[in-house]
Amino acid sequence: MITHLDCLQKYGDPTKESAMVLWDVPVELEIGVIPKRIYCNKDIVLPLTNAFRNLIHTGCVKELKTWDGCFNIRNKRNGGTPSLHSWGVACDLNAAWNRMGQKPTLSNQFVHCFTEAGFDWGGDWRSPDGQHFQLSKV
C-alpha cells in the first residue's frame, strides 16, 4: 500500500500539482454519475479507465451513486500527514453511504472492479473507509 512518502518522493510537493491533468473521460465511459472530466494525477487515468469499464461491463455502474472527488490537498482525517488525495492518486465514491469507520455498503463485485484495475480499497482497513480507493502502487 502506498503512503504519502511514496507520493512525495515520486511527485514532490503536492501544491505544485506537477503530475495533475484534467482528464476528459471518454464518452463511452460517461455512464450514470461517472463524470465527464476529472482533475487527477496522470498515473490514475488508466486504472480509472479500467475500473469504469469494469463497472459498466459487470453492471455494477448502477451501484455508483456519487463521485465524491479525487484531488484535494489536505491532511488525512485522523492524522497529521498528507492524504493521498493531495496528489490525486485516490478517489472517493458513494461517500454518504460509506463513511469512515462504518461498515461499507459497496458490493464485493463493485470493489473487485477497482481492485482488479490496480486500486487498494479503504473498506479493508482496520478502521474502514469504504468510500476510498487509492492506487496500489506509484
Side-chain angles (χ1 to χ4, degrees):
M1 181 164 51
I2 63 172
T3 69
H4 74 282
L5 294 174
D6 298 319
C7 290
L8 191 59
Q9 182 177 10
K10 181 165 184 178
Y11 305 116
D13 179 352
T15 64
K16 304 288 187 209
E17 300 180 34
S18 61
M20 300 301 292
V21 296
L22 182 58
W23 175 40
D24 285 317
V25 176
V27 174
E28 68 271 12
L29 299 180
E30 294 175 12
I31 309 256
V33 299
I34 294 175
K36 294 180 185 295
R37 288 182 150 179
I38 299 173
Y39 191 62
C40 59
N41 188 295
K42 62 182 173 42
D43 291 340
I44 203 173
V45 171
L46 181 59
L48 263 183
T49 298
N50 292 334
F52 290 163
R53 282 190 178 126
N54 291 344
L55 288 176
I56 292 165
H57 176 74
T58 61
C60 289
V61 72
K62 66 183 178 294
E63 288 183 56
L64 183 59
K65 299 174 185 176
T66 58
W67 169 264
D68 299 296
C70 182
F71 176 69
N72 183 8
I73 297 176
R74 63 171 176 80
N75 282 345
K76 290 180 183 176
R77 288 183 209 138
N78 294 336
T81 60
S83 164
L84 296 186
H85 290 282
S86 298
W87 290 276
V89 296
C91 62
D92 290 333
L93 309 167
N94 295 1
W97 300 271
N98 293 281
R99 298 275 183 216
M100 186 176 223
Q102 296 178 356
K103 183 179 177 184
T105 64
L106 297 173
S107 73
N108 290 337
Q109 189 176 20
F110 185 101
V111 171
H112 185 72
C113 289
F114 279 83
T115 57
E116 184 180 81
F119 289 90
D120 289 328
W121 180 47
D124 290 330
W125 297 344
R126 184 179 51 218
S127 178
D129 190 4
Q131 65 186 299
H132 183 87
F133 291 89
Q134 64 186 45
L135 287 181
S136 298
K137 60 185 177 183
V138 292

